[in-house]
Amino acid sequence: MEQTLPSRAQVLPRVTRVGAPARPLASTPGTPAPALSALGLLTVLLGAALPMVDFFIVNVALPTIDRDLNAGPAVLEMVVAGYGVAYAVLLVLGGRLGDMFGRRNLFLWGLGLFAATSLACGVAPTAWTLVAARVAQGAASALLLPQALATIQAATSGSSRGKALSYYGATAGIASVVGQVLGGVLVSADIAGSGWRSIFLVNVPVAAVALVLALKSVPETRSANPAKIDRAGTVLLAITLITLLLPLTEGRAAGWPLWSWVLLAVFPLAAAAFVAVERRGERTGGNPLLPPSLVRIHSVRSGLLLIVPFCLGFGGFMFVLAVAMQDGLHFGALAAGAALAPLCAAFFAASLLGPRMVARFGRDVVTAGSLIQAVGLVSLAATFHYGWPDLGVLTLAPSMAILGFGQGFVLPVVLRIVLSEVPAAQAGVGSGAMATTQQSSLALGVATLGTLFLTLSSSVGVRDALVWALVAQLAAVAATVALSLRLPRKVV
């Protein structure tokens, strides 16, 4: 029998790091993909939860931050927007860096930087110092989050991958709600007189624990043929997202100055230039930041399209509800967080049922979940309209539970669908693209529904402004229902 010489890829040495065991490259031909243990999966999910929690945890603390730092509306919105914009802008780049330098390596760096920037937020002496620290925290989150998804994609296969992606989707939704619940608890507890600062300081020990666990349990994976950094694409994507998100989040509070309109005018030009550069890069054999061929995959394209209206509505809902309950119903931070507990519990229950339901009913689970979400929104809007202002946590609980149950059938399944057909070698860029779409849509929801609510509340009152914001979210849910019919019929 003729002997076959091993290829160069097969004789590549295993990568070692000081103090860490040698681990094979997940996508190197000829070597088995490293298995992600249960502890490893728990660790990457914990790391992924930290950035998601921090996007929302600040919502219930904004009134306290305003009083303590004399921030004002425009700066308060920057505390939210600075994190969200930096996070969204750098996510795809974070995924590409993981493909190049190792996802475990970047996961560890991301955890360390997230802990450091959280500490900076917690000790910020002024409002603008807090804004700067939040921008840095968003950048650290963009380095951290894509590695979690890409590690799951590269270090699992078959039914294990499907379950792991479902767990990630459940984590994404639950962490978003838990962020506001936890924020309310911490602000109300006022641990050692820390007030709002504890919502950031709590990240430091949690990130430290995740870092220790990652050193022991997360395998190193990377692309066998990592692409170089697409400088033009990176810059154009950053310009595209900044020119859309920054004016929408800051324009109203700043009085819609000239710069906000100039940036909005630049947005479509930057977006068109980004698409053109990425198409040309792939056509000429370059290394586009977001390969158009990736978006042409049916599961990726249809899933990303559905994520936009869902996350837009979800992000706006969480922000508007936090403000309305505190400014309109005069809930304390603890009550405002506790009101979301039924939504969180129902979301978790639905996410546990999701994998079995998807195996049997496919994409119909997403359609049904969207319709249940619509019922919850209508019920919640009616509760606010007819029960205002004599509402409490228990009064809101039924509608919140219906809403969360529907959402739990949508988000985990869609996130699983997006990555189901992405090649392992493109796990980082695929994860980055999905996370960018998710994060940009959340930030866009805060900007659009938040602006609608804050504008109307000064003229028609908080109750009616909240009801109109919920009605606007129903339009996003209708789009979700329609787009669910374009998903793959069966979920791998």
Side-chain angles (χ1 to χ4, degrees):
M1 183 180 294
E2 183 181 2
Q3 186 176 7
T4 304
L5 292 175
S7 68
R8 179 178 179 273
Q10 290 172 312
V11 297
L12 279 174
R14 288 164 63 170
V15 177
T16 60
R17 295 176 64 255
V18 176
R23 301 172 187 271
L25 303 181
S27 51
T28 301
T31 60
L36 186 64
S37 65
L39 180 60
L41 176 60
L42 178 64
T43 302
V44 296
L45 292 179
L46 177 60
L50 286 171
M52 301 174 193
V53 166
D54 250 59
F55 182 84
F56 292 96
I57 198 170
V58 75
N59 285 347
V60 295
L62 289 176
T64 311
I65 294 173
D66 189 17
R67 289 193 301 269
D68 192 17
L69 299 182
N70 193 27
V75 180
L76 282 178
E77 290 197 19
M78 278 300 293
V79 170
V80 178
Y83 177 88
V85 172
Y87 190 8
V89 163
L90 297 172
L91 271 166
V92 175
L93 179 61
R96 177 62 58 85
L97 291 173
D99 287 346
M100 294 176 64
F101 299 111
R103 292 148 191 154
R104 175 178 181 266
N105 192 25
L106 270 290
F107 186 76
L108 295 174
W109 274 101
L111 283 170
L113 291 172
F114 187 82
T117 53
S118 295
L119 179 61
C121 290
V123 300
T126 66
W128 281 109
T129 306
L130 177 58
V131 169
R134 283 283 284 173
V135 171
Q137 190 186 36
S141 297
L143 191 66
L144 171 60
L145 184 68
Q147 317 317 325
L149 263 174
T151 297
I152 291 173
Q153 183 77 355
T156 60
S157 61
S159 60
S160 296
R161 178 182 295 172
K163 289 179 181 178
L165 290 175
S166 295
Y167 291 146
Y168 173 86
T171 300
I174 294 168
S176 304
V177 182
V178 165
Q180 293 195 185
V181 176
L182 180 62
V185 171
L186 290 174
V187 172
S188 298
D190 193 22
I191 302 168
S194 58
W196 59 268
R197 298 179 187 276
S198 61
I199 68 173
F200 300 115
L201 296 176
V202 71
N203 292 330
V204 179
V206 176
V209 170
L211 196 150
V212 171
L213 291 175
L215 285 169
K216 296 180 178 181
S217 64
V218 177
E220 180 64 284
T221 66
R222 70 183 73 189
S223 175
N225 299 295
K228 296 179 180 179
I229 297 298
D230 175 14
R231 293 186 179 88
T234 300
V235 171
L236 285 171
L237 178 61
I239 294 173
T240 299
L241 293 175
I242 289 171
T243 53
L244 174 65
L245 297 177
L246 188 60
L248 288 179
T249 52
E250 280 298 295
R252 185 203 62 82
W256 297 109
L258 178 62
W259 63 260
S260 63
W261 296 108
V262 171
L263 289 181
L264 285 173
V266 170
F267 163 69
L269 303 177
F274 173 70
V275 171
V277 165
E278 298 302 278
R279 285 178 174 172
R280 186 177 68 230
E282 189 166 62
R283 189 171 59 249
T284 58
N287 301 297
L289 183 70
L290 183 59
S293 60
L294 189 68
V295 184
R296 285 195 289 269
I297 297 173
H298 179 210
S299 62
V300 175
R301 182 178 65 256
S302 59
L304 292 181
L305 282 173
L306 192 146
I307 284 174
V308 173
F310 179 86
C311 287
L312 188 151
F314 187 79
F317 171 81
M318 298 297 284
F319 175 78
V320 166
L321 199 65
V323 175
M325 287 192 295
Q326 292 180 89
D327 289 352
L329 294 175
H330 305 292
F331 282 10
L334 181 60
L340 291 167
L343 188 151
C344 181
F347 190 107
F348 182 67
S351 67
L352 292 179
L353 292 172
R356 278 179 290 177
M357 300 289 286
V358 166
R360 183 173 181 181
F361 300 107
R363 72 182 183 192
D364 292 343
V365 174
V366 179
T367 306
S370 298
L371 293 172
I372 294 171
Q373 183 186 4
V375 172
L377 279 173
V378 171
S379 174
L380 190 61
T383 301
F384 279 121
H385 180 76
Y386 294 107
W388 194 279
D390 302 316
L391 293 171
V393 172
L394 294 179
T395 313
L396 298 173
S399 300
M400 289 288 192
I402 296 171
L403 186 59
F405 197 74
Q407 291 170 339
F409 277 138
V410 178
L411 186 61
V413 176
V414 173
L415 296 184
R416 175 178 169 181
I417 287 172
V418 170
L419 293 179
S420 62
E421 298 175 7
V422 174
Q426 290 184 303
V429 67
S431 301
M434 187 180 76
T436 298
T437 304
Q438 182 184 356
Q439 187 59 36
S440 300
S441 301
L442 288 171
L444 192 60
V446 173
T448 53
L449 290 183
T451 296
L452 173 67
F453 169 77
L454 293 173
T455 301
L456 289 176
S457 61
S458 60
S459 57
V460 301
V462 175
R463 184 199 70 173
D464 290 347
L466 175 59
V467 170
W468 278 113
L470 295 177
V471 170
Q473 190 185 349
L474 272 175
V477 174
T480 303
V481 172
L483 290 170
S484 71
L485 302 178
R486 301 181 62 179
L487 295 172
R489 288 187 176 275
K490 296 294 182 182
V491 180
V492 180

